[in-house]
Amino acid sequence: MTSVRLTSKLTGNTIEFIDEIKASGGMKDIYFSPDKSYVVGFFRNKSDPNQLERLRDICTRYRENLFNQSGGDYWESAFRWPHDLVERNGTIGVVVPFYENAFFFAHGSKNGDFLKIKGREKEGKWFSSASNREKFLDPREKGTYLSHLQICLSIARAVRRMHMAGLAHSDLSYKNVLVDPTSGKACLIDIDGLVVPGKYHPDVVGTPDFIAPEVIKTQHLDRKDPNRILPSVKTDRHALAVLIYMYLFYRHPLRGRKVHDQSPQRDEELSMGERALFVEHPLDASNRVRPEDLRKQSLPWGDPKARPYSMAGPVLKKLFEEAFIDGLHNPAKRPSAATWENALVRTIDLIQPCSAKCDMGWYVFDNSKAPSCPHCGTPYKGKLPVLNLYSQRRKGSYHYDDHRLMIWDGQSLFPWHIRTSVTPNEHLKQAEKKRVGYFQKHNESWWLVNETVVGMRNLSEGTVIPIGGKVKLEDGINILLSPEDDGRMSLVQMSGA
């Protein structure tokens, strides 16, 4: 194949690529570099000064603000952020790092890869539909319920960072997010259309299924009409909520049985826009999904009655209600990306492995006295400890943090569990990523083993738990997890029979 060399418009470096279109999107054609370390995406339309200025800012100022700050290294895998520009025949090309290997199918589809997707990128649509998962995916590509929660956390964290910088993605969807359910990784792509309020306006209104209702409702108005709603941080919040719902339940939160108009186009506009209604709305059942209307491959996940949104646990249940009931037609009430991130961290702390080793592998503890796996129905047998976490508002006065740590054999205790000043995000120092203790089941008794914390105490007995020592977890005991001013105390509760 012929190789093309162009001079960068930003650095003066030589950008080389193979002159063969390897992929095409809605606006660009993609070419690979010879060593596959980067790709060049050429816009099909001729460039204009505003587009060029936006792309320059994305490749320089906004990129530097992201990657040259504390925790900047973390974002290398969370985004595929453009870093250079070239021009060819009057069109602009953006230079973007190549995708990580994790984001390409290793096994392809079922039955000897009859879809020929082995080696192709893991676009999110494959993993957000119950029928796609069942009909097409090799079981080794599906991941677990835990890894899907981790995917959602990765997406929420990346969107939070963009919004903190005053940027909106404008087209957040499963088309622009790569995911890897085997590792729990996610990566946002197509960053070149970022919206900056008052400066750079959106090029597109979004991808169907993810466009906010107010955008669809006003899409008939002229773009300059002040009543026309265009993509922004608030519309990103809707798209983020839809993504999280779809990655956890493999169905769409608004696509139910209600018909609003005999015209398919008008019905689509109403059902996704002005009259959008959550399929699991507790007070309005008119958009409920009926199992008899679904294909066999979509069951049981396509049926909200069989797999209700409450399955994601009490923390996420509340946010889904805020997103799809309170905030569906009131953008100001939608949960922020930071709120989703915090909720997903707390939900992952509520995860429990299924004793039957079912397909999903894990489930979220529902605060019940008799927990069971909602995926396969297997009840948990025996006692199950839960740590309720408390922190100090003032010296010696502890208050509940609305944060619980579900215990399982081999579960780790991390610095962010024992100290409120440590948050599991991009700012974690290397030392803070290491566990400080672990939990172990032995002869039907549960134990917390202290590995590194000086001053851990069993407050119920007034005894120190030395490094290398352990404490038996029994209902009602209090453990001082860290004696620091930002240290937490925990109250042990026993669930299960």
Side-chain angles (χ1 to χ4, degrees), residues 406-423:
M406 189 77 240
I407 307 306
W408 38 272
D409 195 17
Q411 165 76 301
S412 295
L413 188 70
F414 286 101
W416 57 86
H417 294 135
I418 70 170
R419 297 180 63 191
T420 57
S421 64
V422 181
T423 304

Side-chain angles (χ1 to χ4, degrees), residues 206-334:
T207 299
D209 277 349
F210 300 91
I211 305 172
E214 66 272 18
V215 174
I216 294 177
K217 181 181 176 181
T218 63
Q219 64 185 353
H220 65 284
L221 300 174
D222 187 85
R223 287 181 72 90
K224 295 181 180 179
D225 189 317
N227 295 313
R228 173 82 182 266
I229 306 298
L230 295 171
S232 66
V233 166
K234 287 180 180 177
T235 65
D236 271 2
R237 289 176 179 175
H238 172 77
L240 174 61
V242 174
L243 272 173
I244 292 171
Y245 185 92
M246 293 187 76
Y247 283 130
L248 294 183
F249 301 105
Y250 320 123
R251 59 178 183 259
H252 196 278
L254 306 180
R255 293 200 176 277
R257 64 183 174 89
K258 194 167 187 175
V259 177
H260 301 275
D261 197 278
Q262 294 305 307
S263 162
Q265 180 178 342
R266 182 60 179 154
D267 181 60
E268 173 74 7
E269 291 172 355
L270 291 172
S271 61
M272 293 291 108
E274 183 179 350
R275 299 181 193 171
L277 178 65
F278 185 31
V279 295
E280 297 187 74
H281 197 295
L283 302 179
D284 187 343
S286 61
N287 201 31
R288 289 278 196 276
V289 176
R290 294 177 298 200
E292 59 267 28
D293 294 335
L294 298 172
R295 295 175 180 174
K296 182 180 177 182
Q297 294 95 334
S298 296
L299 295 171
W301 287 98
D303 178 12
K305 190 173 181 180
R307 295 291 186 272
Y309 71 104
S310 57
M311 263 180 50
V315 184
L316 289 180
K317 177 179 182 290
K318 181 175 181 291
L319 289 199
F320 284 130
E321 289 165 355
E322 290 179 10
F324 301 129
I325 300 174
D326 304 334
L328 186 59
H329 297 286
N330 188 344
K333 292 188 175 181
R334 291 172 188 158

